[in-house]
Structures are given as C-alpha cells and as structure tokens.
Amino acid sequence: MGKFDKYFLMNEKDVEEYVLLKTSDCIAWDKETIKAIVPEEHGNLNYVFHVSDGKGNSIYVKQAGLETRISKDMKATLDRNRLESELLMLEDRLAPGMVPKVYFYDTEMSACGMEDCSDYYVMRNAMLEHRIYKEFADEISTFMARTLLLTSDIVMDHREKKELQKDFISPDLCDITEKLVLMEPYGDHMERNRVTPTNMEFVEKELYSDESLKLEVAKLKYNFMTNAQSLLHGDLHTGSIFIKEGSLKVFDCEFGTYAPAGYDIGNVIANLIFAYVNGLAYGDNRFCEWILESIKDTVDLFVDKWEELYDIKVTEPMAKTPGFKNWYLGEILRDTAGYTGTELHRRTVGLAGVADIESIEDEHERILAERICIIAGKNFILNQKKYTCGEDYVKAIEKAVKKARKSI
Ligand code: SR1
Ligand code: MG
C-alpha cells in the first residue's frame, strides 16, 4: 500500500511528494527545487498549500480536514473535496475560464490540485484595499446567469438534472448553512454568535425579538432546504473570488448544492455591501460609488443575460408558456433580496464574520457599519418582492445609512 492510499492530514513535505506523484503526467516539476508552503490566506474549513519550483511551475493543493478549521465542533464530510473539484470542472464547462482549472482530485486523500491563481487578488483583500474593478459586475453576472440557469430543470433533461442533484448534495455543508446563516442570527440558538457588545441591545431588538422577521427567515430557510432550483456555488462571497483587471475566477465551491438561485446572487450583493460599509468607514467616496454602481449593474446585467439565455436554452415545454418566464424570474429576484438580507445578518452577528467589518478600527464607525447591514438586511427580507432591479438595492442601502446614523 502506498503512502497516499489512506487518508491522513498532510504537511508541507508530504504535499511535495504527493504533488510529484499526482501531477507527473501533466507538470514537469524540478524535483530539486519543488517547495510547498502554507499561504497566509486561509478559509474557515480546509488546508491549502502553494506548491512551486524554480522552473516556474506552480499549483494550489487543497485538502479537507476531518474538522473545520473554524470550529472543532463543526464536522463536514471529507467528500466536500470531491464535490468541490467536480463542481469546478462542471462550472468550467458552463462558464469557461471563470474558475481555476482542476489538475486532479483524489477521494482517498480528500485533496485536489488546482490552477495557481496567485497573480490574482482574493477579492475580499482587494476590497479592503479599496481597489476598483470596472468589469466585475459584467463578469460575475455572466458566471451566475450561466451556472444558475443552465443547471436548472427548465434547461437540463430532467433525469440528468436529478442525477446531478444526487452527486452534488452534502448534508453536512447544507446543515452548516441552514444553522449558521438561516437560523442563528435570529436567536443565537447555539450560543456562538459574535456580537459587538455596544450593539448587543440593538441586535436583541432588531434581530432576536422581531417575530415578523423570523417568520420571513423561516420561509427562506425552508425554501433553501426544499427548492432544488439550480446548482449553486453555495458560498459566493468575495473570499471565494480571485480577481484581477479584466478577469475573475470563482473558487471554493464546496457548499455547492441544488437550492434557490437567489442564494448565490444575494451572497454577491451582500458581500459588496460589506465592502461598501468599509469604504464608508474610511471615507473613500470613489470606492463607495463604484460599489453601488457594481451592485446595480450586477442585478441588472444578471437579469438581461438570464433573459437572453432563457430564450435560447430553455427546453422544458411548459416553461415556454407565456407568463412563466416572468414568474420564474420574479421568484429568483424575490429570493435574491431575502438571501442578501440573511447573508448581511449572519456575517454581522454570526460565528463567521468578515474582515470588511471586523477590521474597522474606529468603534463608532464599526457600530455604524454593523447597523447599516442589520437595517438594510431587514428591509431586504421584509420587502423581498419590492427588489426587482439594481436601483432598488442602491436606494435601500442609502436609506439604511441614514437610518443607522440616526440610531446612534
Ligand atoms: C464553518 S464554515 C463558516 C463559513 O465559512 C465558509 O466560507 C462559509 O461561508 C461558512 O458559512
Ligand atoms: Mg469558503
């Protein structure tokens, strides 16, 4: 039996050996200089290595651990690495060039090797530096329109779609989302929320005690659990996007599952709002204007591209009935608003926060940023049907800023 035939958690030296074994057919490594390092960048769940040699070859290796990095109590199946690798390969076919290439994946070691994107920024870090990417909205709307529509029942053969649904389901990871995103921000059920002490009273009143809000979130949670509409990325935040001028690559799709399309779109919008409140805290007007424009364009371009693709790609006969397309799009947009709200809330008060908010040093500005997210999020959840175009989001954000300022 070979060293890598049975699962264990690898260190840097193991990874060097492993990569030589796994990629000998596609990369001509220089064995003398190959080196694996643990990059500074890390997500909440897995172990990542950057492997390179003196000849200019390089890849990323990602391995799933038995426990999540963020919490030893939170278990997530090792199969998540297979799911992520296969989903990246599928997304590469649906939205060519918009995800890293997967060189190999290995279900014994729960590890994969993928394209080195270190010439890109992780978008959340770029947002913290207030970098502007004029083509972001155009690029991300293409990715979402294509992956979300082309994996749905109205485009795919129904039997094939159901087979795909079987391959891309991970009860552990869905469970994380269902609890962490769609429950805990509204009651701290597992006593692991991380609330800024000076905002505790505000959070208790606005999130923990608002029964009409909880009812809408209960419906969003049920919708997430039962509506197998599209194959999602499942965690489409700015930490899951590599970006550089004129190009982006979406990665880290281990939360991929069949669920409402609006969940992915809402995640993108909410995470742009986190970048916006950071820009506001540091008084960067140019950056804030670009973010608002990007939110508007992301929604509007998504709708345009989705509508165009619908007319070309839909195969389901009943979906061609007049009125169905508008109804279906209306459902996606309603869900988008709802899940924008839940993402805003869970990252503001939940266990897994975002650097956009957590790095704001000035106490007053941080409180304000959190309140903007809480207020805007409530508005999105309570008035989901009113958010039908990009401008609706911009107005709601500006309104939330005013309301939050008054509340302090
Ligand atoms: C236990 S994982 C916490 C969060 O990190 C991931 O990136 C997902 O967003 C998840 O909800
Ligand atoms: Mg992640």
Side-chain angles (χ1 to χ4, degrees):
M1 202 160 117
K3 175 171 176 181
F4 301 106
D5 290 343
K6 192 166 185 294
Y7 178 83
F8 69 96
L9 212 48
M10 293 185 280
N11 64 25
E12 288 92 324
K13 280 284 154 231
D14 300 321
V15 168
E16 289 164 13
E17 210 182 311
Y18 180 68
V19 161
L20 287 174
L21 187 77
K22 288 286 168 189
T23 58
S24 57
D25 57 335
C26 55
I27 304 178
W29 293 103
D30 176 17
K31 290 187 184 140
E32 299 305 313
T33 56
I34 190 164
K35 189 159 183 52
I37 57 157
V38 176
E40 270 176 42
E41 263 321 304
H42 247 296
N44 291 326
L45 267 68
N46 302 294
Y47 298 87
V48 179
F49 301 87
H50 181 255
V51 188
S52 61
D53 69 7
K55 278 187 6 191
N57 296 306
S58 58
I59 64 167
Y60 276 122
V61 171
K62 182 169 180 178
Q63 186 179 27
L66 289 162
E67 308 156 330
T68 62
R69 282 165 50 87
I70 194 172
S71 159
K72 292 206 184 314
D73 304 332
M74 211 180 264
K75 308 281 182 238
T77 168
L78 289 176
D79 182 54
R80 66 186 188 267
N81 190 273
R82 189 259 334 148
L83 189 151
E84 170 174 1
S85 307
E86 289 183 356
L87 183 48
L88 282 176
M89 290 155 88
L90 173 63
E91 285 173 343
D92 197 32
R93 292 199 294 277
L94 300 173
M98 301 192 94
V99 296
K101 293 269 173 240
V102 175
Y103 294 111
F104 71 89
Y105 70 96
D106 166 7
T107 51
E108 291 304 328
M109 292 298 288
S110 293
C112 62
M114 65 178 88
E115 184 181 347
D116 176 10
C117 295
S118 52
D119 55 329
Y120 286 67
Y121 270 85
V122 172
M123 187 171 171
R124 193 175 308 283
N125 296 341
M127 296 299 93
L128 290 173
E129 291 179 16
H130 299 172
R131 288 176 177 269
I132 287 175
Y133 295 93
K134 294 238 178 287
E135 286 154 59
F136 172 72
D138 186 30
E139 291 163 348
I140 200 70
S141 57
T142 298
F143 178 82
M144 294 192 295
R146 294 191 64 82
T147 57
L148 297 173
L149 182 60
L150 301 183
T151 56
S152 69
D153 278 289
I154 55 176
V155 170
M156 290 187 75
D157 174 88
H158 301 180
R159 280 158 303 195
E160 277 176 32
K161 184 259 180 178
K162 285 177 179 68
E163 289 299 327
L164 214 55
Q165 209 174 322
K166 269 200 291 190
D167 292 342
F168 292 105
I169 182 119
S170 169
D172 282 355
L173 290 149
C174 288
D175 185 60
I176 292 177
T177 301
E178 287 155 18
K179 292 192 173 112
L180 210 64
V181 183
L182 300 167
M183 184 176 86
E184 291 170 44
Y186 308 96
D188 200 9
H189 306 72
M190 297 168 89
E191 297 180 0
R192 58 186 183 185
N193 281 359
R194 294 186 351 200
V195 180
T196 306
T198 30
N199 253 345
M200 186 50 110
E201 217 178 295
F202 188 81
V203 168
E204 276 172 351
K205 175 170 176 279
E206 299 296 336
L207 297 181
Y208 297 172
S209 317
D210 187 333
E211 293 305 318
S212 55
L213 178 70
K214 285 194 213 173
L215 175 59
E216 290 311 313
V217 175
K219 293 180 201 168
L220 285 163
K221 182 177 181 188
Y222 183 72
N223 189 31
F224 182 88
M225 294 189 290
T226 58
N227 179 1
Q229 185 177 47
S230 297
L231 181 51
L232 307 191
H233 174 283
D235 196 22
L236 196 44
H237 56 83
T238 49
S240 299
I241 299 172
F242 288 126
I243 194 160
K244 67 180 181 185
E245 200 61 55
S247 172
L248 62 71
K249 287 189 191 280
V250 171
F251 66 107
D252 217 10
C253 51
E254 65 205 317
F255 283 82
T257 188
Y258 265 93
Y263 188 82
D264 271 0
I265 314 166
N267 264 257
V268 170
I269 298 170
N271 281 273
L272 287 172
I273 297 175
F274 298 136
Y276 174 82
V277 294
N278 184 284
L280 210 61
Y282 289 97
D284 192 337
N285 294 338
R286 191 168 156 258
F287 178 72
C288 287
E289 271 167 32
W290 169 71
I291 290 281
L292 292 183
E293 204 181 294
S294 299
I295 291 172
K296 180 178 173 303
D297 291 349
T298 297
V299 177
D300 295 343
L301 288 171
F302 170 82
V303 170
D304 291 350
K305 289 171 190 178
W306 185 92
E307 289 202 281
E308 203 177 311
L309 211 54
Y310 190 103
D311 295 338
I312 304 166
K313 294 286 186 185
V314 163
T315 59
E316 158 57 31
M318 293 301 282
K320 295 179 183 169
T321 309
F324 184 87
K325 180 182 174 186
N326 271 351
W327 169 79
Y328 191 102
L329 180 59
E331 297 286 295
I332 294 178
L333 293 174
R334 184 201 62 191
D335 293 344
T336 297
Y339 296 118
T340 301
T342 52
E343 177 70 4
L344 282 170
H345 290 158
R346 73 92 167 212
R347 295 290 196 182
T348 307
V349 304
L351 172 70
V354 283
D356 315 54
I357 292 180
E358 289 175 350
S359 68
I360 299 174
E361 289 144 349
D362 183 277
E363 164 92 6
H364 175 84
E365 293 299 332
R366 175 162 174 177
I367 297 294
L368 183 67
E370 291 183 359
R371 290 193 182 190
I372 294 168
C373 294
I374 292 170
I375 292 167
K378 283 189 73 168
N379 199 348
F380 295 138
I381 293 170
L382 292 170
N383 301 292
Q384 290 165 49
K385 282 202 172 138
K386 290 190 182 156
Y387 293 94
T388 58
C389 69
E391 187 59 29
D392 295 336
Y393 283 87
V394 174
K395 283 190 190 142
I397 295 161
E398 288 169 344
K399 212 167 125 190
V401 173
K402 284 191 191 138
K403 201 168 165 194
R405 281 193 175 129
K406 270 195 197 155
S407 79
I408 296 182

PDB file of all heavy atoms in Angstrom, residues 320-342:
ATOM      1  N   LYS A 320     -42.244  27.307 -21.580  1.00  0.00           N
ATOM      2  CA  LYS A 320     -42.404  28.230 -22.715  1.00  0.00           C
ATOM      3  C   LYS A 320     -43.803  28.853 -22.725  1.00  0.00           C
ATOM      4  O   LYS A 320     -44.133  29.666 -23.578  1.00  0.00           O
ATOM      5  CB  LYS A 320     -42.124  27.491 -24.028  1.00  0.00           C
ATOM      6  CG  LYS A 320     -40.658  27.047 -24.100  1.00  0.00           C
ATOM      7  CD  LYS A 320     -40.326  26.282 -25.358  1.00  0.00           C
ATOM      8  CE  LYS A 320     -38.865  25.830 -25.277  1.00  0.00           C
ATOM      9  NZ  LYS A 320     -38.481  24.882 -26.289  1.00  0.00           N
ATOM     10  N   THR A 321     -44.638  28.470 -21.771  1.00  0.00           N
ATOM     11  CA  THR A 321     -45.978  29.046 -21.651  1.00  0.00           C
ATOM     12  C   THR A 321     -45.858  30.538 -21.345  1.00  0.00           C
ATOM     13  O   THR A 321     -45.106  30.909 -20.431  1.00  0.00           O
ATOM     14  CB  THR A 321     -46.746  28.352 -20.481  1.00  0.00           C
ATOM     15  OG1 THR A 321     -46.666  26.947 -20.661  1.00  0.00           O
ATOM     16  CG2 THR A 321     -48.194  28.819 -20.421  1.00  0.00           C
ATOM     17  N   PRO A 322     -46.562  31.398 -22.091  1.00  0.00           N
ATOM     18  CA  PRO A 322     -46.457  32.837 -21.807  1.00  0.00           C
ATOM     19  C   PRO A 322     -46.707  33.134 -20.331  1.00  0.00           C
ATOM     20  O   PRO A 322     -47.651  32.616 -19.731  1.00  0.00           O
ATOM     21  CB  PRO A 322     -47.547  33.448 -22.704  1.00  0.00           C
ATOM     22  CG  PRO A 322     -47.702  32.467 -23.814  1.00  0.00           C
ATOM     23  CD  PRO A 322     -47.446  31.105 -23.213  1.00  0.00           C
ATOM     24  N   GLY A 323     -45.867  33.950 -19.758  1.00  0.00           N
ATOM     25  CA  GLY A 323     -46.030  34.329 -18.342  1.00  0.00           C
ATOM     26  C   GLY A 323     -45.096  33.560 -17.415  1.00  0.00           C
ATOM     27  O   GLY A 323     -44.752  34.029 -16.330  1.00  0.00           O
ATOM     28  N   PHE A 324     -44.682  32.342 -17.834  1.00  0.00           N
ATOM     29  CA  PHE A 324     -43.858  31.520 -16.932  1.00  0.00           C
ATOM     30  C   PHE A 324     -42.492  32.165 -16.679  1.00  0.00           C
ATOM     31  O   PHE A 324     -42.013  32.212 -15.541  1.00  0.00           O
ATOM     32  CB  PHE A 324     -43.668  30.106 -17.492  1.00  0.00           C
ATOM     33  CG  PHE A 324     -42.912  29.200 -16.556  1.00  0.00           C
ATOM     34  CD1 PHE A 324     -43.568  28.480 -15.574  1.00  0.00           C
ATOM     35  CD2 PHE A 324     -41.515  29.098 -16.630  1.00  0.00           C
ATOM     36  CE1 PHE A 324     -42.858  27.665 -14.682  1.00  0.00           C
ATOM     37  CE2 PHE A 324     -40.798  28.289 -15.743  1.00  0.00           C
ATOM     38  CZ  PHE A 324     -41.476  27.568 -14.777  1.00  0.00           C
ATOM     39  N   LYS A 325     -41.881  32.679 -17.774  1.00  0.00           N
ATOM     40  CA  LYS A 325     -40.532  33.249 -17.648  1.00  0.00           C
ATOM     41  C   LYS A 325     -40.525  34.387 -16.617  1.00  0.00           C
ATOM     42  O   LYS A 325     -39.664  34.445 -15.739  1.00  0.00           O
ATOM     43  CB  LYS A 325     -40.094  33.754 -19.021  1.00  0.00           C
ATOM     44  CG  LYS A 325     -38.721  34.381 -19.064  1.00  0.00           C
ATOM     45  CD  LYS A 325     -38.434  34.885 -20.483  1.00  0.00           C
ATOM     46  CE  LYS A 325     -37.142  35.655 -20.532  1.00  0.00           C
ATOM     47  NZ  LYS A 325     -36.926  36.266 -21.852  1.00  0.00           N
ATOM     48  N   ASN A 326     -41.527  35.261 -16.727  1.00  0.00           N
ATOM     49  CA  ASN A 326     -41.605  36.395 -15.787  1.00  0.00           C
ATOM     50  C   ASN A 326     -41.832  35.935 -14.362  1.00  0.00           C
ATOM     51  O   ASN A 326     -41.259  36.473 -13.415  1.00  0.00           O
ATOM     52  CB  ASN A 326     -42.762  37.330 -16.170  1.00  0.00           C
ATOM     53  CG  ASN A 326     -42.282  38.378 -17.135  1.00  0.00           C
ATOM     54  OD1 ASN A 326     -41.072  38.491 -17.359  1.00  0.00           O
ATOM     55  ND2 ASN A 326     -43.205  39.113 -17.717  1.00  0.00           N
ATOM     56  N   TRP A 327     -42.683  34.926 -14.218  1.00  0.00           N
ATOM     57  CA  TRP A 327     -42.963  34.409 -12.875  1.00  0.00           C
ATOM     58  C   TRP A 327     -41.686  33.828 -12.258  1.00  0.00           C
ATOM     59  O   TRP A 327     -41.338  34.108 -11.108  1.00  0.00           O
ATOM     60  CB  TRP A 327     -44.049  33.319 -12.947  1.00  0.00           C
ATOM     61  CG  TRP A 327     -44.181  32.577 -11.638  1.00  0.00           C
ATOM     62  CD1 TRP A 327     -44.832  32.992 -10.520  1.00  0.00           C
ATOM     63  CD2 TRP A 327     -43.572  31.317 -11.313  1.00  0.00           C
ATOM     64  NE1 TRP A 327     -44.684  32.072  -9.506  1.00  0.00           N
ATOM     65  CE2 TRP A 327     -43.917  31.033  -9.964  1.00  0.00           C
ATOM     66  CE3 TRP A 327     -42.781  30.413 -12.014  1.00  0.00           C
ATOM     67  CZ2 TRP A 327     -43.493  29.866  -9.318  1.00  0.00           C
ATOM     68  CZ3 TRP A 327     -42.354  29.259 -11.360  1.00  0.00           C
ATOM     69  CH2 TRP A 327     -42.715  28.992 -10.027  1.00  0.00           C
ATOM     70  N   TYR A 328     -40.964  33.044 -13.069  1.00  0.00           N
ATOM     71  CA  TYR A 328     -39.749  32.357 -12.596  1.00  0.00           C
ATOM     72  C   TYR A 328     -38.679  33.385 -12.212  1.00  0.00           C
ATOM     73  O   TYR A 328     -38.063  33.298 -11.154  1.00  0.00           O
ATOM     74  CB  TYR A 328     -39.260  31.443 -13.724  1.00  0.00           C
ATOM     75  CG  TYR A 328     -38.177  30.452 -13.374  1.00  0.00           C
ATOM     76  CD1 TYR A 328     -38.473  29.122 -13.150  1.00  0.00           C
ATOM     77  CD2 TYR A 328     -36.839  30.839 -13.329  1.00  0.00           C
ATOM     78  CE1 TYR A 328     -37.467  28.191 -12.871  1.00  0.00           C
ATOM     79  CE2 TYR A 328     -35.832  29.913 -13.049  1.00  0.00           C
ATOM     80  CZ  TYR A 328     -36.148  28.605 -12.818  1.00  0.00           C
ATOM     81  OH  TYR A 328     -35.165  27.688 -12.550  1.00  0.00           O
ATOM     82  N   LEU A 329     -38.516  34.397 -13.080  1.00  0.00           N
ATOM     83  CA  LEU A 329     -37.529  35.445 -12.779  1.00  0.00           C
ATOM     84  C   LEU A 329     -37.928  36.206 -11.510  1.00  0.00           C
ATOM     85  O   LEU A 329     -37.079  36.544 -10.675  1.00  0.00           O
ATOM     86  CB  LEU A 329     -37.404  36.407 -13.973  1.00  0.00           C
ATOM     87  CG  LEU A 329     -36.413  37.559 -13.814  1.00  0.00           C
ATOM     88  CD1 LEU A 329     -34.987  37.055 -13.559  1.00  0.00           C
ATOM     89  CD2 LEU A 329     -36.431  38.464 -15.053  1.00  0.00           C
ATOM     90  N   GLY A 330     -39.236  36.434 -11.374  1.00  0.00           N
ATOM     91  CA  GLY A 330     -39.737  37.117 -10.163  1.00  0.00           C
ATOM     92  C   GLY A 330     -39.366  36.347  -8.901  1.00  0.00           C
ATOM     93  O   GLY A 330     -38.985  36.924  -7.877  1.00  0.00           O
ATOM     94  N   GLU A 331     -39.462  35.017  -8.976  1.00  0.00           N
ATOM     95  CA  GLU A 331     -39.103  34.179  -7.812  1.00  0.00           C
ATOM     96  C   GLU A 331     -37.612  34.330  -7.491  1.00  0.00           C
ATOM     97  O   GLU A 331     -37.222  34.451  -6.326  1.00  0.00           O
ATOM     98  CB  GLU A 331     -39.376  32.695  -8.110  1.00  0.00           C
ATOM     99  CG  GLU A 331     -40.814  32.349  -8.363  1.00  0.00           C
ATOM    100  CD  GLU A 331     -41.638  32.361  -7.090  1.00  0.00           C
ATOM    101  OE1 GLU A 331     -41.372  31.529  -6.215  1.00  0.00           O
ATOM    102  OE2 GLU A 331     -42.535  33.215  -6.974  1.00  0.00           O
ATOM    103  N   ILE A 332     -36.787  34.310  -8.545  1.00  0.00           N
ATOM    104  CA  ILE A 332     -35.331  34.434  -8.326  1.00  0.00           C
ATOM    105  C   ILE A 332     -35.021  35.785  -7.682  1.00  0.00           C
ATOM    106  O   ILE A 332     -34.237  35.868  -6.731  1.00  0.00           O
ATOM    107  CB  ILE A 332     -34.552  34.289  -9.658  1.00  0.00           C
ATOM    108  CG1 ILE A 332     -34.697  32.878 -10.209  1.00  0.00           C
ATOM    109  CG2 ILE A 332     -33.068  34.640  -9.469  1.00  0.00           C
ATOM    110  CD1 ILE A 332     -33.998  32.641 -11.551  1.00  0.00           C
ATOM    111  N   LEU A 333     -35.651  36.837  -8.189  1.00  0.00           N
ATOM    112  CA  LEU A 333     -35.346  38.179  -7.660  1.00  0.00           C
ATOM    113  C   LEU A 333     -35.854  38.341  -6.227  1.00  0.00           C
ATOM    114  O   LEU A 333     -35.195  38.963  -5.391  1.00  0.00           O
ATOM    115  CB  LEU A 333     -35.922  39.260  -8.583  1.00  0.00           C
ATOM    116  CG  LEU A 333     -35.234  39.323  -9.958  1.00  0.00           C
ATOM    117  CD1 LEU A 333     -35.947  40.306 -10.869  1.00  0.00           C
ATOM    118  CD2 LEU A 333     -33.750  39.692  -9.825  1.00  0.00           C
ATOM    119  N   ARG A 334     -37.002  37.751  -5.944  1.00  0.00           N
ATOM    120  CA  ARG A 334     -37.522  37.808  -4.569  1.00  0.00           C
ATOM    121  C   ARG A 334     -36.551  37.095  -3.620  1.00  0.00           C
ATOM    122  O   ARG A 334     -36.166  37.626  -2.581  1.00  0.00           O
ATOM    123  CB  ARG A 334     -38.901  37.125  -4.525  1.00  0.00           C
ATOM    124  CG  ARG A 334     -39.578  37.208  -3.176  1.00  0.00           C
ATOM    125  CD  ARG A 334     -40.623  36.143  -3.024  1.00  0.00           C
ATOM    126  NE  ARG A 334     -39.983  34.813  -3.117  1.00  0.00           N
ATOM    127  CZ  ARG A 334     -40.638  33.668  -3.234  1.00  0.00           C
ATOM    128  NH1 ARG A 334     -41.942  33.647  -3.289  1.00  0.00           N
ATOM    129  NH2 ARG A 334     -39.984  32.507  -3.293  1.00  0.00           N
ATOM    130  N   ASP A 335     -36.122  35.903  -4.022  1.00  0.00           N
ATOM    131  CA  ASP A 335     -35.167  35.149  -3.187  1.00  0.00           C
ATOM    132  C   ASP A 335     -33.846  35.915  -3.042  1.00  0.00           C
ATOM    133  O   ASP A 335     -33.215  35.888  -1.984  1.00  0.00           O
ATOM    134  CB  ASP A 335     -34.862  33.782  -3.802  1.00  0.00           C
ATOM    135  CG  ASP A 335     -36.072  32.868  -3.783  1.00  0.00           C
ATOM    136  OD1 ASP A 335     -37.030  33.146  -3.045  1.00  0.00           O
ATOM    137  OD2 ASP A 335     -36.055  31.856  -4.528  1.00  0.00           O
ATOM    138  N   THR A 336     -33.423  36.551  -4.125  1.00  0.00           N
ATOM    139  CA  THR A 336     -32.162  37.308  -4.079  1.00  0.00           C
ATOM    140  C   THR A 336     -32.200  38.334  -2.956  1.00  0.00           C
ATOM    141  O   THR A 336     -31.257  38.457  -2.167  1.00  0.00           O
ATOM    142  CB  THR A 336     -31.916  38.015  -5.443  1.00  0.00           C
ATOM    143  OG1 THR A 336     -31.777  37.016  -6.441  1.00  0.00           O
ATOM    144  CG2 THR A 336     -30.666  38.879  -5.407  1.00  0.00           C
ATOM    145  N   ALA A 337     -33.306  39.066  -2.872  1.00  0.00           N
ATOM    146  CA  ALA A 337     -33.421  40.080  -1.812  1.00  0.00           C
ATOM    147  C   ALA A 337     -33.380  39.411  -0.440  1.00  0.00           C
ATOM    148  O   ALA A 337     -32.662  39.847   0.471  1.00  0.00           O
ATOM    149  CB  ALA A 337     -34.712  40.870  -1.993  1.00  0.00           C
ATOM    150  N   GLY A 338     -34.120  38.325  -0.290  1.00  0.00           N
ATOM    151  CA  GLY A 338     -34.178  37.642   1.009  1.00  0.00           C
ATOM    152  C   GLY A 338     -32.809  37.152   1.455  1.00  0.00           C
ATOM    153  O   GLY A 338     -32.386  37.376   2.601  1.00  0.00           O
ATOM    154  N   TYR A 339     -32.089  36.500   0.546  1.00  0.00           N
ATOM    155  CA  TYR A 339     -30.791  35.939   0.938  1.00  0.00           C
ATOM    156  C   TYR A 339     -29.693  37.003   1.008  1.00  0.00           C
ATOM    157  O   TYR A 339     -28.675  36.778   1.664  1.00  0.00           O
ATOM    158  CB  TYR A 339     -30.409  34.781   0.009  1.00  0.00           C
ATOM    159  CG  TYR A 339     -31.374  33.614   0.123  1.00  0.00           C
ATOM    160  CD1 TYR A 339     -32.128  33.191  -0.966  1.00  0.00           C
ATOM    161  CD2 TYR A 339     -31.554  32.956   1.342  1.00  0.00           C
ATOM    162  CE1 TYR A 339     -33.034  32.133  -0.854  1.00  0.00           C
ATOM    163  CE2 TYR A 339     -32.459  31.910   1.467  1.00  0.00           C
ATOM    164  CZ  TYR A 339     -33.193  31.499   0.364  1.00  0.00           C
ATOM    165  OH  TYR A 339     -34.092  30.464   0.489  1.00  0.00           O
ATOM    166  N   THR A 340     -29.908  38.142   0.358  1.00  0.00           N
ATOM    167  CA  THR A 340     -28.983  39.265   0.599  1.00  0.00           C
ATOM    168  C   THR A 340     -29.096  39.635   2.076  1.00  0.00           C
ATOM    169  O   THR A 340     -28.100  39.850   2.770  1.00  0.00           O
ATOM    170  CB  THR A 340     -29.345  40.496  -0.272  1.00  0.00           C
ATOM    171  OG1 THR A 340     -29.299  40.132  -1.641  1.00  0.00           O
ATOM    172  CG2 THR A 340     -28.394  41.654  -0.021  1.00  0.00           C
ATOM    173  N   GLY A 341     -30.333  39.669   2.556  1.00  0.00           N
ATOM    174  CA  GLY A 341     -30.577  40.022   3.954  1.00  0.00           C
ATOM    175  C   GLY A 341     -29.969  39.035   4.927  1.00  0.00           C
ATOM    176  O   GLY A 341     -29.282  39.417   5.891  1.00  0.00           O
ATOM    177  N   THR A 342     -30.170  37.733   4.674  1.00  0.00           N
ATOM    178  CA  THR A 342     -29.655  36.751   5.646  1.00  0.00           C
ATOM    179  C   THR A 342     -28.121  36.743   5.654  1.00  0.00           C
ATOM    180  O   THR A 342     -27.508  36.583   6.707  1.00  0.00           O
ATOM    181  CB  THR A 342     -30.203  35.334   5.370  1.00  0.00           C
ATOM    182  OG1 THR A 342     -29.975  34.984   4.001  1.00  0.00           O
ATOM    183  CG2 THR A 342     -31.698  35.258   5.660  1.00  0.00           C
TER     184      THR A 342
END
